[in-house]
């Protein structure tokens, strides 16, 4: 089977970006809400996002700021307040999430433009979007500056809201079909998570027994 090799040292920023977003798929989408020091709410989606560890509970979000090194609203608010809320995006939320992706000026309330109802946060001050199937309330753990206008924000999850119809609280089991989350692909493409399958990792002795049976 043939493969095509790309030397990232020989590629420019845009070329690397195109290859990465087409390769690392699907990526979960973080619809992040923050509050500025002036009390104004902001919302924006980010697909360079994932959970890194559970102890402590740390998520990571890659943020690209402006080329002149000015912070975008999300990055500035997190830096100034140390708080943010990550919402998981489901199929029903996609159109409103896309409105929040529009590059509005700081005077525009994306949540109002998208018609998203919110309530104040519990452990953080950033608002929680009621339509989202899940919301992770986070406090900034660390910010890694990885370029002139790029940073990775690590957030410690201090609280989690999950739509009650999608969780069995007694078993801490989340119904992934009921979550109906969507993922980001390359270009303008998204994917649904309804098409699922299960594989249970075997113990070493199970693997050895399987090999023994296959060899007979």
């Amino acid at each position: 089977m043939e493969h095509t090799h790309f030397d990232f040292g020989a590629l420019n920023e845009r070329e690397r970006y195109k290859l990465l977003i087409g390769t690392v798929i699907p990526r979960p989408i973080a619809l992040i809400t923050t509050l500025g020091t002036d009390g104004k709410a902001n919302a924006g989606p980010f697909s360079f996002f994932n959970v890194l560890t559970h102890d402590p509970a740390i998520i990571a979000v890659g943020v690209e700021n402006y080329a002149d090194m000015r912070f975008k609203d999300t990055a500035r608010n997190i830096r100034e307040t140390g708080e943010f809320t990550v919402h998981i995006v489901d199929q029903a939320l996609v159109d409103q999430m896309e409105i929040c992706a529009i590059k509005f000026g700081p005077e525009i309330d994306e949540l109002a433009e998208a018609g998203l109802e919110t309530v104040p946060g519990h452990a953080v001050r950033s608002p929680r979007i009621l339509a989202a199937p899940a919301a992770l309330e986070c406090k900034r753990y660390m910010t890694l500056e990885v370029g002139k206008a790029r940073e990775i924000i690590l957030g410690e999850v201090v609280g989690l809201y999950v739509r009650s119809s999608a969780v069995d609280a007694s078993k801490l089991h989340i119904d992934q079909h009921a979550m109906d989350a969507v993922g980001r692909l390359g270009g303008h493409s998204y994917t649904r998570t309804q098409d699922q399958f299960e594989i249970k990792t075997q113990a070493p002795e199970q693997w050895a027994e399987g090999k023994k049976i296959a060899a007979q």
Side-chain angles (χ1 to χ4, degrees):
M1 184 178 295
E2 293 186 3
H3 290 79
T4 300
H5 173 255
F6 297 92
D7 179 357
F8 269 38
L11 302 176
N12 62 36
E13 171 194 339
R14 183 62 183 172
E15 291 167 338
R16 293 193 297 269
Y17 172 79
K18 289 181 66 176
L19 289 171
L20 286 172
I21 66 169
T23 302
V24 183
I25 55 174
R27 300 184 305 283
I29 302 167
L31 179 53
I32 297 179
T33 56
T34 56
L35 277 184
T37 54
D38 57 2
K40 290 183 179 179
N42 176 262
F46 298 84
S47 71
F48 281 17
F49 156 68
N50 219 314
V51 61
L52 299 185
T53 176
H54 67 284
D55 188 22
I58 300 293
I59 58 94
V61 183
V63 178
E64 181 178 1
N65 290 305
Y66 296 107
D68 62 3
M69 298 176 63
R70 286 182 299 118
F71 292 119
K72 290 184 178 177
D73 293 339
T74 296
R76 184 188 65 251
N77 290 347
I78 293 174
R79 184 173 289 260
E80 291 178 348
T81 69
E83 299 179 342
F84 60 106
T85 300
V86 172
H87 301 84
I88 302 302
V89 177
D90 63 5
Q91 180 68 41
L93 198 55
V94 167
D95 289 342
Q96 291 162 302
M97 177 270 294
E98 276 294 321
I99 293 173
C100 294
I102 297 172
K103 293 180 173 59
F104 293 117
E107 73 284 358
I108 300 297
D109 183 342
E110 293 88 354
L111 293 165
E113 292 295 320
L116 289 168
E117 183 181 357
T118 65
V119 294
H122 176 71
V124 298
R125 288 166 291 177
S126 45
R128 177 167 62 90
I129 298 171
L130 292 176
L136 300 91
E137 294 188 329
C138 303
K139 293 191 176 181
R140 185 172 70 88
Y141 185 81
M142 181 186 301
T143 299
L144 306 175
E145 295 184 0
V146 293
K148 290 183 177 180
R150 292 167 179 80
E151 59 187 33
I152 297 172
I153 299 170
L154 301 184
E156 181 172 5
V157 181
V158 295
L160 170 67
Y161 283 90
V162 181
R163 186 179 292 152
S164 295
S165 60
V167 63
D168 182 338
S170 65
K171 298 180 180 178
L172 300 180
H173 173 74
I174 294 177
D175 184 337
Q176 296 172 64
H177 284 282
M179 285 281 286
D180 196 22
V182 297
R184 196 73 165 88
L185 302 175
H188 302 290
S189 299
Y190 293 82
T191 185
R192 300 179 178 89
T193 57
Q194 292 294 346
D195 183 12
Q196 303 176 15
F197 61 93
E198 291 188 5
I199 299 178
K200 186 175 180 180
T201 302
Q202 300 179 57
E205 54 272 19
Q206 291 175 309
W207 172 253
E209 180 64 23
K211 288 183 66 176
K212 180 179 178 182
I213 293 173
Q216 293 175 351

